[in-house]
Amino acid sequence: AKLRSRLTASDVITCGYLPVIGLLAPVFAAYLAQWWWYPLPHALWILALAIFLLKLPATPPPWALFLRWWYPAVLIPPIFSELQFLVHPINPVDLDLQLIAMDFALLGVHPTVWLERYTVPWLTEYMQLAYITFYFLPFILCAPLYRPGQLRAFRTALCALLLGYYVSYLLYFLTPARGPRFYLASSQSIPLTGLWLATPLQDFLDHLEGVQRDAFPSGHTAIAVIVMVLAFWYQHRLRYPLLLVTTSLVLSTVYLRYHYVVDVIAGILL
């Protein structure tokens, strides 16, 4: 009863996602190397969270309160990273060809190929910088809300973001796809060359994220739109700058050949 009284929606969302992925591993153990590695750390995370919440005093010190609300920031990166070892073995059929066909049926062109006519180094540089703002947007939204009088807004933002992350991760198992920069590479004749940072940033992200089947839905789009909408509710000073950043980020996902247009539409709906 004590633990239940201390759980919040964000804890329930996290503790709902972790067992789902943990249970997938033994179900598909025949296709996964060292399948036991996945349920074990997931169970330990849930156990550690339960112990932490039970031991948390009624009036926690600032550091404990900070840890209590910000632990998802530590949890999300490894949760995402493990998908590269799970999605493809569990569902080995990429749906890129179907997504390419949907794009063509919707627009009459292959968008990433059509956009080549507008490819110039300064625009590629700008788009790559816009793309990486994805990793900072949740903090830009949530950090100013983490103060007395704004905790409800902070908790709302945290729940919305966690739902955006976890639902998109689960959908990757149903709709695995790598994206147009892989499946339309033979049709893309103009390389994406920036000025100074575009290529190093792209190489760094490729190394950081590994080989993912995370095109559909576009998680970048989903999280960016969530941040923008919540900024219009809670962060009035940031809403128009974030509108510009979000618009640029969404466009960059297609311009940089990470996503199909249908990925972006799915991300907005999510």
Side-chain angles (χ1 to χ4, degrees):
K2 181 180 179 182
L3 177 60
R4 188 165 59 249
S5 68
R6 295 189 173 194
L7 286 173
T8 65
S10 59
D11 304 321
V12 174
I13 293 168
T14 297
C15 292
Y17 174 84
L18 289 174
V20 170
I21 302 301
L23 289 173
L24 280 176
V27 170
F28 293 92
Y31 307 102
L32 298 172
Q34 299 178 325
W35 64 267
W36 47 266
W37 171 249
Y38 302 99
L40 180 59
H42 287 204
L44 291 175
W45 265 107
I46 296 173
L47 179 62
L49 177 61
I51 294 172
F52 176 74
L53 292 177
L54 285 172
K55 297 292 185 181
L56 199 66
T59 306
W63 68 267
L65 196 61
F66 180 86
L67 185 60
R68 189 262 174 280
W69 289 113
W70 287 91
Y71 75 86
V74 179
L75 188 59
I76 290 293
I79 282 179
F80 174 75
S81 295
E82 71 182 6
L83 294 176
Q84 64 181 302
F85 306 109
L86 291 170
V87 172
H88 190 59
I90 290 175
N91 188 356
V93 180
D94 290 343
L95 298 183
D96 286 83
L97 295 180
Q98 290 88 333
L99 297 176
I100 290 169
M102 291 170 66
D103 259 12
F104 194 84
L106 184 65
L107 300 170
V109 296
H110 298 301
T112 56
V113 178
W114 181 83
L115 283 171
E116 285 190 339
R117 68 192 67 189
Y118 302 107
T119 299
V120 290
W122 70 265
L123 184 57
T124 302
E125 190 83 0
Y126 174 77
M127 288 296 183
Q128 189 66 60
L129 291 172
Y131 186 81
I132 66 167
T133 61
F134 164 80
Y135 300 96
F136 306 101
L137 287 178
F139 298 98
I140 292 172
L141 171 70
C142 291
L145 296 176
Y146 186 70
R147 67 177 190 271
Q150 292 290 325
L151 186 57
R152 183 178 179 84
F154 173 85
R155 289 169 61 171
T156 301
L158 181 60
C159 287
L161 289 166
L162 290 178
L163 281 171
Y165 285 120
Y166 295 146
V167 173
S168 64
Y169 295 170
L170 291 173
L171 288 174
Y172 297 154
F173 287 92
L174 299 177
T175 56
R178 294 194 66 188
R181 65 190 182 122
F182 297 102
Y183 275 81
L184 285 173
S186 60
S187 302
Q188 295 160 348
S189 58
I190 300 177
L192 290 172
T193 304
L195 298 175
W196 302 286
L197 298 175
T199 300
L201 284 174
Q202 188 177 82
D203 292 342
F204 174 73
L205 292 178
D206 289 344
H207 176 75
L208 184 68
E209 296 185 356
V211 179
Q212 296 283 5
R213 262 75 181 180
D214 61 347
F216 186 95
S218 169
H220 278 65
T221 299
I223 295 301
V225 171
I226 289 170
V227 168
M228 183 188 68
V229 171
L230 292 175
F232 269 76
W233 289 353
Y234 301 128
Q235 299 274 36
H236 291 175
R237 294 181 179 179
L238 293 177
R239 53 187 176 180
Y240 293 114
L242 283 177
L243 178 60
L244 173 62
V245 171
T246 298
T247 303
S248 300
L249 190 156
V250 171
L251 292 174
S252 77
T253 62
V254 179
Y255 176 91
L256 295 172
R257 306 167 182 169
Y258 287 109
H259 289 285
Y260 308 102
V261 169
V262 290
D263 302 341
V264 172
I265 294 172
I268 293 172
L269 293 174
L270 174 59

